[in-house]
Amino acid sequence: MAYHGPSYGLSRECQMKSQAKFSLERAREAIIWIERVLDKKLEVPSPDGDLRDQLDFAAALKDGVALCELINTLEAGTIVKVNMQKAPFKQRENLEMFLKGCVAYGLRSQDLFQVNDLYEHKNLYMVVDCIYALGGMSQKKGFMGPTIGVKVAKENPRMFSPDVLAESQKVIGLQYGSNKGASQRGMTPYGATRQILPEEFQKTSQNAQS
């Protein structure tokens, strides 16, 4: 990865917000889930193999190999060939294939991350969210292995007859309001200035009018 130097101004502010959204605990759970699904330990640069920060999380997944193996485990044959070379463009290609595999598996575009989010450590929280979304989708598809995330609900379409649909058109919802018992008493005419009078003067005016 090329060194871009420190960020300043708006870029620095965006970087700080991204770091604030990253949860180390959720990242640990994501790594543990991947290891359990693949039945192997991922390479983490820390001495004890535990995540110390988001950079350790990125280092474990940056080459895209584990992610490609993950999607192939959930859906066999999704990625035909995983690049094992350490060349940056090959690692980026792995990440692109993983993201395309996620779309084919059923994830929505808002569930995905960009390659640079992981490869250049821009928005690592989005990588964590993507893994959780993938875990939820795997539960929906009946994956019998380890689980993570919330199971994606299945669609339950309702079919109504033409008669029922026609009857629904006759009902006026409460969001449209109701004029039952309503009047214009006490309302100020459009364009007129609202007058706030002392209570005694109001009573005098009402008696004079009566």
Side-chain angles (χ1 to χ4, degrees):
M1 181 185 68
Y3 178 68
H4 297 283
S7 301
Y8 299 97
L10 182 59
S11 297
R12 176 63 176 171
E13 183 179 348
C14 293
Q15 184 182 28
M16 295 297 291
K17 288 182 179 180
S18 175
Q19 292 175 355
K21 293 179 181 179
F22 181 83
S23 169
L24 186 60
E25 184 61 32
R26 294 183 81 240
R28 286 196 181 104
E29 293 178 357
I31 291 294
I32 292 173
W33 178 67
I34 295 175
E35 291 177 337
R36 292 176 63 193
V37 172
L38 300 181
D39 195 23
K40 70 174 186 179
K41 286 286 292 182
L42 300 184
E43 294 184 7
V44 179
S46 64
D48 58 356
D50 188 24
L51 293 184
R52 298 167 299 183
D53 51 33
Q54 56 182 338
L55 296 181
D56 285 348
F57 172 77
L61 303 176
K62 178 182 174 181
D63 61 7
V65 174
L67 292 177
C68 288
E69 292 176 347
L70 174 64
I71 193 66
N72 272 345
T73 303
L74 299 178
E75 189 73 36
T78 300
I79 299 175
V80 178
K81 182 180 179 181
V82 180
N83 298 312
M84 306 304 294
Q85 300 94 323
K86 297 300 182 182
F89 74 95
K90 288 296 184 180
Q91 295 178 343
R92 286 176 175 271
E93 190 176 75
N94 282 343
L95 297 177
E96 291 174 356
M97 290 189 296
F98 166 73
L99 293 171
K100 291 179 180 178
C102 287
V103 173
Y105 195 62
L107 263 62
R108 304 166 298 177
S109 59
Q110 56 264 40
D111 296 325
L112 307 178
F113 60 90
Q114 301 295 320
V115 171
N116 284 342
D117 290 334
L118 174 54
Y119 204 81
E120 297 188 0
H121 310 166
K122 290 186 178 294
N123 295 297
L124 292 174
Y125 74 93
M126 296 185 67
V127 182
V128 178
D129 290 346
C130 179
I131 295 173
Y132 270 76
L134 186 61
M137 182 60 68
S138 70
Q139 296 177 56
K140 177 183 178 181
K141 289 182 172 289
F143 178 65
M144 302 304 295
T147 61
I148 192 175
V150 179
K151 181 179 179 180
V152 179
K154 295 182 179 180
E155 295 183 359
N156 185 22
R158 304 294 180 89
M159 302 300 294
F160 297 100
S161 66
D163 293 338
V164 174
L165 293 175
E167 286 295 326
S168 67
Q169 300 298 323
K170 301 177 182 179
V171 179
I172 300 177
L174 292 178
Q175 64 267 30
Y176 291 104
S178 173
N179 63 352
K180 183 177 180 181
S183 71
Q184 294 183 338
R185 182 180 180 182
M187 294 180 61
T188 303
Y190 179 77
T193 303
R194 182 180 179 185
Q195 298 180 355
I196 303 178
L197 303 177
E199 184 178 354
E200 294 183 359
F201 185 72
Q202 285 183 342
K203 290 181 179 180
T204 304
S205 300
Q206 291 176 357
N207 294 334
Q209 291 177 0
S210 60

